[in-house]
Amino acid sequence: MNPYQGIDYYHLEDTLSDEERSVRDTVRSFVERSFLPLIREHHAAGTFPTEIVPELAELGLLGASVKGPGCAGLSSTIYGLICQELERGDSGLRSFASVQSSLVMWPLSTYGNEAQQRRWLPGLARGELIGCFGLTEPGHGSDPGGMETTATPDGDHWVLQGNKMWITNATLADLALVWAKGPEGILGFVVEKGLPGFSAQPVHGKFSLRASDTGELILDEVRVPEANRLPAARGLRAPLSCLNEARFGIAWGAVGAAAACYHHALQYALQRKQFDRPIASFQLVQRKLVNMLTEITKGQALVHRLGRLKDQGVNEAPLVSLAKRNNVAMALECARTSCDILGAAGITDEHPIGRHMTNLVSVRTYEGTHDIHTLIVGHAITGLQAYRG
Ligand SMILES: Cc1cc2nc3c(=O)[nH]c(=O)nc-3n(C[C@H](O)[C@H](O)[C@H](O)COP(=O)(O)OP(=O)(O)OC[C@H]3O[C@@H](n4cnc5c(N)ncnc54)[C@H](O)[C@@H]3O)c2cc1C
């Protein structure tokens, strides 16, 4: 197979700065050198490769665009490029970095006070602390506003009671950002590992995102000090703004997963012979390859523009929803088409395509399902909200 050198049919990368290109190259070679040799084994075992966290941190890939103590505060486009290259490796790797960066470090820098930022951000950036984000509950996924987890004031503490489900990094995390209903609305808390009543259980038997830690957080009368409440986070708007940050990275990441599948299928089709010819010479196979390249190129154009808009301060949720919805569906379709091109070989873990394909089913569901993003964009263009009857 020819080594992966990226897909850039429309020369979109000509618009990147030297710094952006250099970060992209660094992440690409990290994935090639340190991550890809590990993923098959971890995928089979259903484990996240924690051994790569120190290198991820050393390369500055945790919270790269976050502003605050110990953080680089680089551009949104750089964050997007990081996500793209990480997800070329595996959606689980990008999920780890997304949660740490967009769902733990970003809320701390946006809604936390100075003391909280100084206390946790540097350790999170160095990978010495791992974070998770607890919003979804067993009974409340697409409608997190219906959450049942409660926060009851008790002197200079809060008592948290409830369960959070499907939480990435749940059992690895040193600190969980937990959203709970207080007397006057939704509040955010940093819940530290080891607090009495706080525990995490892994979800077993996953077909998808196997190399990612997914679990349940159990909060049984956990007493959390007022100093651990994010003072500027009030109402559902706060966790939704975090999701908007993460979805931006997912829209970029999906391009990486699609590019991995397309590259692999193209190389395979050039080598695999049937009827005495490479299968890449057949018109129907070429159509599949061209359709993939076209959709990847359109998805890339979308996120390159979105990155520039975000860096200019334009960050409306429906714009991000449109990109997440389109690019994840596009990547899943590319994975399915690539698997088809590999024939029987596509179903084994000797090739990365089946892994990307099953991963992308989760990516289509989490951070707002495909259909919920349809309704967010629908609301934006019609002014009419269709989520509720
Ligand atoms: C691997 C993985 C990791 C995750 N990590 C995290 C995490 O770190 N933190 C976290 O908080 N959550 C996490 N999640 C949870 C994820 O965000 C939810 O699964 C997602 O929001 C969907 O919720 P649900 O699974 O309860 O599905 P439901 O909300 O029950 O939806 C089921 C189906 O109904 C559809 N539906 C629901 N409401 C409507 C409507 N109004 N109109 C039309 N269709 C509708 C949905 O589109 C979907 O097809 C993760 C999930 C997975 C799979």
Side-chain angles (χ1 to χ4, degrees):
M1 291 242 168
N2 288 334
Y4 179 78
Q5 283 173 335
I7 313 288
D8 187 24
Y9 204 62
Y10 259 51
H11 305 282
L12 284 163
E13 295 190 358
D14 290 357
T15 65
L16 298 179
S17 68
D18 289 346
E19 184 188 38
E20 289 165 344
R21 233 173 271 127
S22 148
V23 173
R24 192 269 326 270
D25 289 345
T26 303
V27 189
R28 189 171 291 169
S29 42
F30 156 72
V31 166
E32 201 71 43
R33 178 185 68 245
S34 301
F35 181 76
L36 288 179
L38 302 175
I39 182 59
R40 194 172 165 195
E41 198 181 305
H42 279 283
H43 176 79
T47 50
F48 176 75
T50 47
E51 59 269 41
I52 49 101
V53 175
E55 196 178 350
L56 264 178
E58 203 178 303
L59 294 173
L61 307 185
L62 301 177
S65 61
V66 171
K67 293 176 178 67
C71 304
L74 301 175
S75 73
S76 299
T77 298
I78 288 189
Y79 175 54
L81 288 163
I82 291 172
C83 289
Q84 172 188 282
E85 295 306 319
L86 293 180
E87 196 148 358
R88 209 266 295 182
D90 192 81
S91 301
L93 177 61
R94 198 269 309 134
S95 298
F96 176 87
S98 283
V99 168
Q100 184 91 346
S101 306
S102 290
L103 296 182
V104 179
M105 296 175 71
W106 186 84
L108 276 169
S109 84
T110 306
Y111 298 113
N113 58 32
E114 221 185 302
Q116 293 168 338
Q117 291 170 7
R118 270 193 275 105
R119 182 165 169 207
W120 290 304
L121 281 178
L124 287 161
R126 289 196 299 268
E128 292 160 6
L129 294 174
I130 292 175
C132 71
F133 178 88
L135 179 64
T136 305
E137 298 185 355
H140 305 276
S142 297
D143 181 17
M147 70 173 63
E148 292 168 47
T149 301
T150 52
T152 310
D154 181 20
D156 58 359
H157 279 69
W158 293 81
V159 179
L160 300 194
Q161 178 70 40
N163 291 51
K164 297 289 176 180
M165 191 58 190
W166 305 111
I167 307 306
T168 304
N169 296 349
T171 73
L172 294 175
D174 301 289
L175 41 102
L177 189 42
V178 171
W179 301 92
K181 252 182 197 156
E184 288 167 23
I186 290 171
L187 301 168
F189 298 89
V190 177
V191 181
E192 292 169 280
K193 195 176 188 167
L195 279 184
F198 179 49
S199 59
Q201 294 288 337
V203 169
H204 292 294
K206 288 184 297 171
F207 291 117
S208 174
L209 278 182
R210 289 187 51 74
S212 174
D213 172 37
T214 313
E216 178 178 12
L217 302 179
I218 299 142
L219 299 133
D220 184 11
E221 297 200 4
V222 182
R223 281 175 62 77
V224 179
E226 163 65 12
N228 284 29
R229 184 176 66 79
L230 300 183
R234 293 224 163 251
L236 190 59
R237 201 176 277 266
L240 294 187
S241 68
C242 306
L243 294 178
N244 199 46
E245 291 299 304
R247 289 164 182 165
F248 169 83
I250 294 172
W252 278 89
V255 171
C261 294
Y262 164 79
H263 171 76
H264 197 86
L266 173 59
Q267 300 306 313
Y268 183 88
L270 288 167
Q271 284 171 14
R272 171 76 176 166
K273 284 193 176 152
Q274 288 296 289
F275 304 96
D276 303 320
R277 291 160 55 187
I279 60 169
S281 69
F282 299 124
Q283 291 176 351
L284 291 176
V285 174
Q286 289 189 5
R287 180 166 68 182
K288 286 174 190 162
L289 293 167
V290 171
N291 283 348
M292 280 195 276
L293 178 62
T294 307
E295 293 307 317
I296 291 169
T297 303
K298 284 152 69 177
Q300 282 174 324
L302 205 53
V303 287
H304 276 251
R305 176 68 185 145
L306 189 64
R308 296 298 178 218
L309 284 174
K310 193 168 186 306
D311 282 329
Q312 290 161 20
V314 179
N315 191 28
E316 280 112 16
L319 266 68
V320 178
S321 286
L322 189 147
K324 191 266 183 183
R325 176 181 183 274
N326 182 77
N327 285 9
V328 176
M330 174 279 286
L332 184 52
E333 202 48 45
C334 280
R336 287 172 176 154
T337 305
S338 300
C339 193
D340 190 52
I341 290 175
L342 264 68
I347 69 160
T348 75
D349 71 358
E350 238 177 87
H351 301 276
I353 293 169
R355 179 167 50 76
H356 282 295
M357 188 166 66
T358 50
N359 281 345
L360 287 161
V361 172
S362 283
V363 181
R364 188 178 152 101
T365 290
Y366 71 25
E367 305 269 354
T369 67
H370 182 83
D371 289 341
I372 290 297
H373 289 297
T374 308
L375 301 182
I376 292 172
V377 180
H379 182 194
I381 61 177
T382 63
L384 304 169
Q385 198 187 66
Y387 327 119
R388 296 173 199 287

